[in-house]
Amino acid sequence: MNEILDKISRIGIVPVIKIDRVEDALPLGKALCEGGLPVAEVTFRTEHAKKAMQIMNKELPQMLLGAGTVLTKEQVDDALEAGAKFIVSPGLNPEIVRYCIEKKVPVIPGCANASDIEAALSFGLTTVKFFPAEPLGGLKMIKALAAPYVNVNFMPTGGIKESNIVEYLDYDRIVACGGTWMVDAKAIKEGNFDRIKELTQNAVKTMLGLELAHVGVNADETSAEDVAGEFASLLQCETEPHSKSCFAGKTIEVMKNKVGTHGHIAYKVNSVERAVRYYESLGYTFDESSKAYNDDHSLKAIYFEKEIGGFKIHLLKK
């Protein structure tokens, strides 16, 4: 996968933004970054798109910016001059795709059917935009199209929202989803960028599905079950011995061997693989030796490399 497309895949959600006022560009970009989505598809549907992208590129170099709704060669040129790292179009225009390839910029053309996908493949493209996703049949249609085109991945946009994004991202042929619900037009118009940040944070939480699983308490081989028993008595629950630990109910895991300076905290996530890719995109690293797998070889659990406040942080598959 192209390096830029890999970065998009790691982040998972691409906010699709429309800039009506240049002065909104910087606070909007900051809100997205602070909310956990340092990426945006800036649609070239307004006269301010190029200037807005230039501002965000200069002031927010950590952002991965692409141009959307690109319909002409001139818009490709404007987007590249403004610092766009990828181009997205609503449909597949062979002239635009060819021009992007000549310019050596990743292009994600809109595809709505098998003929569009075959046209994309003829240009050597294996990642396409599925647009408009929900009106065209949503995930069911994507899976139908993916079946004969085994090397094609999709970035659906159109009708994706907080209530259905997890279902889309659970499908391994979807690299990321484009969406607008976190860039609420009313909030932008009112200058309420704290609301944009909040919506963005909620989008990330929904994508990851973060949920506190249990707290790990350090003990040793001889005391773990006794310590778990004390917690069980306090919490009015049963103990559950395992080879490396003993649980008191579902919320306390007493370790027979030390994990973390003070212990560990485990969080359940929708997909450990996607959570790892997302956090790696933000610069976090993981303890590769801590990986555990399910019977189907999917990633079941992993620890972050760094401790926080003396606690190791553990991700678990829901």
Side-chain angles (χ1 to χ4, degrees):
M1 186 183 290
N2 172 277
E3 180 184 354
I4 297 299
L5 296 179
D6 181 62
K7 287 181 179 179
I8 292 172
S9 173
R10 289 178 180 277
I11 298 172
I13 301 175
V14 179
V16 180
I17 65 177
K18 175 174 168 280
I19 301 292
D20 292 312
R21 300 178 304 198
V22 171
E23 59 267 29
D24 291 334
L26 184 55
L28 178 57
K30 284 183 176 179
L32 292 174
C33 290
E34 291 172 1
L37 293 177
V39 61
E41 176 189 325
V42 182
T43 59
F44 269 57
R45 288 188 286 160
T46 75
E47 60 181 317
H48 303 301
K50 181 178 179 179
K51 182 62 176 177
M53 188 179 290
Q54 288 173 326
I55 291 170
M56 287 188 283
N57 258 323
K58 179 182 178 181
E59 302 296 334
L60 301 167
Q62 72 272 33
M63 281 197 83
L64 177 61
L65 293 170
T69 321
V70 173
L71 305 176
T72 67
K73 290 182 179 180
E74 290 74 20
Q75 287 179 328
V76 174
D77 290 335
D78 283 344
L80 294 179
E81 287 177 16
K85 298 300 188 294
F86 60 97
I87 303 294
V88 183
S89 59
L92 195 153
N93 182 328
E95 184 179 18
I96 299 302
V97 170
R98 191 177 295 111
Y99 192 64
C100 288
I101 292 172
E102 290 173 1
K103 292 288 185 176
K104 296 182 170 54
V105 58
V107 56
I108 309 171
C111 292
N113 52 51
S115 295
D116 290 344
I117 291 173
E118 292 201 9
L121 288 171
S122 73
F123 285 104
L125 303 180
T126 55
T127 298
V128 300
K129 175 178 180 175
F130 184 65
F131 175 81
E134 282 290 289
L136 286 176
L139 184 58
K140 185 176 180 180
M141 185 61 173
I142 290 175
K143 289 182 176 180
L145 288 169
Y149 300 108
V150 295
N151 296 320
V152 175
N153 294 313
F154 299 83
M155 188 173 81
T157 305
I160 311 294
K161 48 193 175 182
E162 203 161 313
S163 61
N164 61 14
I165 190 168
V166 173
E167 182 183 10
Y168 275 93
L169 291 177
D170 276 348
Y171 185 44
D172 62 4
R173 299 283 291 280
I174 290 177
V175 296
C177 290
T180 59
W181 77 92
M182 76 294 295
V183 284
D184 180 70
K186 183 172 182 279
I188 295 173
K189 186 176 181 180
E190 295 174 351
N192 187 358
F193 295 101
D194 285 341
R195 176 60 178 160
I196 302 297
K197 177 181 175 180
E198 179 187 8
L199 289 170
T200 303
Q201 289 173 326
N202 289 340
V204 172
K205 290 174 185 175
T206 298
M207 172 180 69
L208 298 178
L210 282 171
E211 178 183 314
L212 182 63
H214 62 259
V215 174
V217 177
N218 287 335
D220 55 39
E221 287 277 358
T222 60
S223 65
E225 291 192 18
D226 289 339
V227 173
E230 290 187 52
F231 275 110
S233 178
L234 175 69
L235 302 173
Q236 294 297 298
C237 60
E238 300 297 320
T239 61
E240 185 179 321
H242 294 272
S243 60
K244 296 181 180 180
S245 66
C246 186
F247 273 84
K250 301 294 183 183
T251 59
I252 302 293
E253 181 182 22
V254 183
M255 306 302 295
K256 295 179 180 179
N257 293 297
K258 184 177 178 180
V259 176
T261 303
H262 301 311
H264 73 269
I265 302 173
Y267 286 91
K268 292 180 181 178
V269 291
N270 292 325
S271 165
V272 178
E273 287 95 343
R274 184 166 291 282
V276 167
R277 293 201 302 272
Y278 172 76
Y279 282 114
E280 284 180 338
S281 77
L282 300 185
Y284 289 91
T285 56
F286 290 85
D287 178 0
E288 295 294 321
S289 67
S290 70
K291 285 182 174 178
Y293 294 90
N294 293 304
D295 292 339
D296 63 359
H297 305 296
S298 62
L299 194 56
K300 179 181 180 180
I302 193 169
Y303 281 94
F304 283 85
E305 191 76 49
K306 182 183 177 182
E307 293 186 1
I308 299 179
F311 287 86
K312 293 284 280 186
I313 307 299
H314 194 196
L315 296 180
L316 296 172
K317 176 74 172 70
K318 284 186 177 178

